Amino acid sequence: MSLALQPFVGDDAARAVHGYDAGAAAYLLARPGQGAGEPSGPDLTPWHELSLRPVVVTAADAAEALAEVAAAASPDEALVLVAPGLRIATAALLDQLDRPGEATTVATIEGTALQGDPHEPTDFTILRIDRDQRLVHSVGTARQTVSDPTNVAAGVLRVAAADVPEALRLWREAAESPVARDADVDPFDLALLALVRGGVRVGTLPLGPFDVDRGSSTALGSHGSPWQQRLRGASRGGDGFFSTFCIRPLSRRLTGFGLGHDWSPNVVTLTSLGLGLVAAGLAAVDNRWTWVAAAVLLITALVVDCVDGEIARFRRKFSALGAWLDAVGDRVKEYSLIAAVAWVGVARGEDTWWLAVLALVLVTTRHLEDYAYFDRIRSTRAHVTPDLLPVDAPHDLGDAGSRTTLPPRQTRRQRVVFWTKKVMHLPIAERYLLLAIGLLTFEPLVLLWLIVVAVAIALVWTQGGRTAKALLGVDGFRPSPSVLAGQWGDMDHQADLGPVARVAGRVLRAPMPVAFVGALVVLAAGVTAARDGRAVLVVALVVVGVLLVGFACRPPLRDRLAWQLSSVLWLTEAGLVTGLAWHLDSPRRWVVFAYLAAVAWHRYDVVYRLRDTGLPAAPWVTLVTLGTDGRMVLLAVLWAVGVPLEPVLGWGALALIVVYAAESASAWLTWARGRRAQPVAGKVAT
């Protein structure tokens, strides 16, 4: 089926309704005199177009409305609750009501989208949400205030089938409360308040840049029709400055064309990867014009790389293959270009491989630290729960002197500071821009130094501030309560420790700082090897360092500095490999880059899998590849007994990437099959 709207964006297939919640009831709350068919009554069109069953609930007050919904709703299927006076386009509802999902969610709007003074009352529901957990923590009504509110609810609540029995019970209780008889209390607000204060986890789903009216209040979206607004909302949020203001405007134009020609997101991803590899191939040719073409193709690949996600989000169709390709493709393009530039530099007689290795190491460190820190923040704030209170309580659990109105709009100075910090983090679009600028100089050393210095500044910026907060204890850190003794958390998986370190951890337990001392000992071994030190000393230092790391890293990693471990161990392995291979001739140093690129690819893959699927790499992978500790010991021993490192690193890189890629592809496919086998909320699997 397709929506009977003008084809502003895409074809019928792109705008089709999938029917995930088809047949579920949508309860449209209305004030007296606002029944179906009345001029001021609710519009039934969006709900019919979504294949839902619209049920208009006209009641004198919130008590009567909640009681009627609780009596009419089926406890066995998902339901949708719609606020009185809501006017919204069908296209705005698709992400919440027409995609796979098993969670209870409410559509939210940024306060900055509201018309008028944010300090004035609004007909939208005032909320405080936790952006890390993506949960509603406090809800306001005409009689309940919210401390430090952050957003508003548009007026659409989807209650998952699993939560419906509890929701109906809470609504029956709320209908008996005195506040439910207050004529000023909106029944939608009270229904949402009852769920949150009653302990039902209500997730937040940002509505996007759509026009929404509720009562006399209005939230303005982007320009154009609802479908054009949907295309604008298909752009991923949180991008950097260059992506937001330069790349995404171009990608959306291409996405609009692709939606009308049935482009496959996976094909688009492969196209972006192909363009990036062609750019690297052109950069490997020592010719000014091929470098100019490579710069153009690199930015083109970045634009195309945005299109696959935009198409998938617009259509609400996602695949495990697409997620995997998108996750690994960016690194392949980036590493390939850096390697191609280093190759040209060596051909010119410049010593560029070590600089390329440094760029690879810094870029990977920057990302590992970033992802691990977000895991840390998530565990730190996991103890923060929604405000569980009786429905009649006039205030939530916030401080008495807290702000009770929406935050003011950003000033110009605040916007400048915000985007400056974004640029300082050096996201992917900014790095690609630097690579393209470097290509236009036609100087390998300039390009490599440009990326090295920029990433180093970004790393100091992020690591410095976060480490200072952690050491001073001002970041509110608390270990994750969900990870029990002996269990592995995300940080344990990101550490990539193998059998040697794990066995050592069972023999002796040491505090986390010992792991960092062990890393320094291994790095000392690398320096010793680079200075023609004694082989026995190098091996001894590596073994001692690895054991120290193992002593301090017994699962689960819950120390306040544990988030640093994955990047520290990566730097340690990179430093040791570089030291052992220090005396290789300049043209043969490519094997160091290749070996470390294979390891880095795996580390990225583990992070992406944990983030997107919640599943780590298979345990046998660290056994076969020895983990970072086992690889360091093996390389040190081989170097000490005189085995040439060039073939060891070259063939080792090939073996590692084959194992890593094969296991990763298999794991993503297995995860996808498992998702397809799960029943969709509100429907019975057949």
Side-chain angles (χ1 to χ4, degrees), residues 1-70:
M1 77 192 81
S2 62
L3 303 181
L5 296 177
Q6 295 180 350
F8 288 108
V9 178
D11 55 14
D12 288 344
R15 300 190 308 275
V17 173
H18 306 322
Y20 287 107
D21 278 330
Y27 294 93
L28 281 57
L29 304 176
R31 297 293 188 184
Q34 293 183 337
E38 298 291 335
S40 61
D43 181 11
L44 305 185
T45 303
W47 318 105
H48 285 308
E49 290 178 337
L50 289 167
S51 299
L52 300 178
R53 291 186 290 109
V55 179
V56 179
V57 178
T58 304
D61 53 28
E64 186 178 329
L66 294 188
E68 184 172 338
V69 173

Side-chain angles (χ1 to χ4, degrees), residues 116-152:
D117 190 339
H119 293 89
E120 294 296 325
T122 176
D123 289 331
F124 292 103
T125 313
I126 302 293
L127 305 175
R128 183 178 76 246
I129 68 174
D130 183 279
R131 297 181 187 276
D132 297 305
Q133 300 181 71
R134 299 180 182 178
L135 293 176
V136 179
H137 277 208
S138 182
V139 180
T141 73
R143 294 294 176 261
Q144 277 93 3
T145 59
V146 178
S147 58
D148 296 318
T150 57
N151 297 69
V152 299

Side-chain angles (χ1 to χ4, degrees), residues 237 262 478 515 587 671:
D262 199 26
R478 291 189 185 182
W671 173 73

Side-chain angles (χ1 to χ4, degrees), residues 29-371:
L29 304 176
R31 297 293 188 184
Q34 293 183 337
E38 298 291 335
S40 61
D43 181 11
L44 305 185
T45 303
W47 318 105
H48 285 308
E49 290 178 337
L50 289 167
S51 299
L52 300 178
R53 291 186 290 109
V55 179
V56 179
V57 178
T58 304
D61 53 28
E64 186 178 329
L66 294 188
E68 184 172 338
V69 173
S74 168
D76 300 322
E77 66 176 9
L79 64 85
V80 179
L81 199 66
V82 184
L86 179 68
R87 295 178 294 280
I88 190 170
T90 306
L93 300 168
L94 296 175
D95 285 328
Q96 186 178 20
L97 305 180
D98 191 51
R99 64 184 292 171
E102 298 180 351
T104 294
T105 57
V106 63
T108 60
I109 302 174
E110 293 286 343
T112 54
L114 301 186
Q115 291 292 95
D117 190 339
H119 293 89
E120 294 296 325
T122 176
D123 289 331
F124 292 103
T125 313
I126 302 293
L127 305 175
R128 183 178 76 246
I129 68 174
D130 183 279
R131 297 181 187 276
D132 297 305
Q133 300 181 71
R134 299 180 182 178
L135 293 176
V136 179
H137 277 208
S138 182
V139 180
T141 73
R143 294 294 176 261
Q144 277 93 3
T145 59
V146 178
S147 58
D148 296 318
T150 57
N151 297 69
V152 299
V156 181
L157 169 68
R158 178 189 184 274
V159 183
D163 291 330
V164 167
E166 179 65 7
L168 299 183
R169 184 188 69 81
L170 291 171
W171 289 343
R172 292 189 192 99
E173 290 183 358
E176 300 296 327
S177 65
V179 72
R181 295 296 179 184
D182 191 316
D184 293 329
V185 173
D186 186 293
F188 180 88
D189 296 352
L190 184 60
L192 182 57
L193 176 80
L195 296 190
V196 173
R197 290 191 171 185
V200 175
R201 292 171 62 89
V202 180
T204 61
L205 198 151
L207 188 64
F210 293 98
D211 295 333
V212 184
D213 293 321
R214 183 171 163 189
S216 60
S217 298
T218 298
L220 287 182
S222 57
H223 297 293
S225 69
W227 287 107
Q228 289 169 325
Q229 291 175 338
R230 179 160 182 80
L231 177 60
R232 177 65 179 82
S235 293
R236 185 182 64 187
D239 281 346
F241 182 87
F242 183 59
S243 178
T244 299
F245 295 102
C246 299
I247 298 300
R248 289 292 180 179
L250 295 174
S251 71
R252 285 194 293 271
R253 291 178 179 272
L254 190 56
T255 297
F257 181 84
L259 286 169
H261 292 79
D262 199 26
W263 284 5
S264 164
N266 290 347
V267 172
V268 174
T269 303
L270 289 172
T271 301
S272 174
L273 177 59
L275 289 171
L277 293 176
V278 171
L282 291 172
V285 179
D286 194 356
N287 179 279
R288 182 178 298 276
W289 294 111
T290 59
W291 277 44
V292 172
V296 173
L297 278 181
L298 184 66
I299 299 300
T300 303
L302 181 60
V303 173
V304 175
D305 188 46
C306 296
V307 172
D308 57 356
E310 290 173 354
I311 290 178
R313 283 186 286 272
F314 188 96
R315 290 178 172 172
R316 306 170 315 286
K317 288 186 176 181
F318 309 94
S319 72
L321 176 61
W324 184 69
L325 289 174
D326 192 54
V328 304
D330 291 339
R331 303 290 80 77
V332 172
K333 289 179 286 189
E334 199 168 7
Y335 294 167
S336 298
L337 185 72
I338 291 173
V341 170
W343 183 276
V344 171
V346 170
R348 293 185 185 181
E350 299 170 345
D351 192 5
T352 49
W353 274 122
W354 286 145
L355 203 54
V357 168
L358 181 58
L360 166 70
V361 170
L362 289 177
V363 168
T364 305
T365 303
R366 168 73 188 86
H367 282 123
L368 293 179
E369 178 267 340
D370 215 28
Y371 291 128

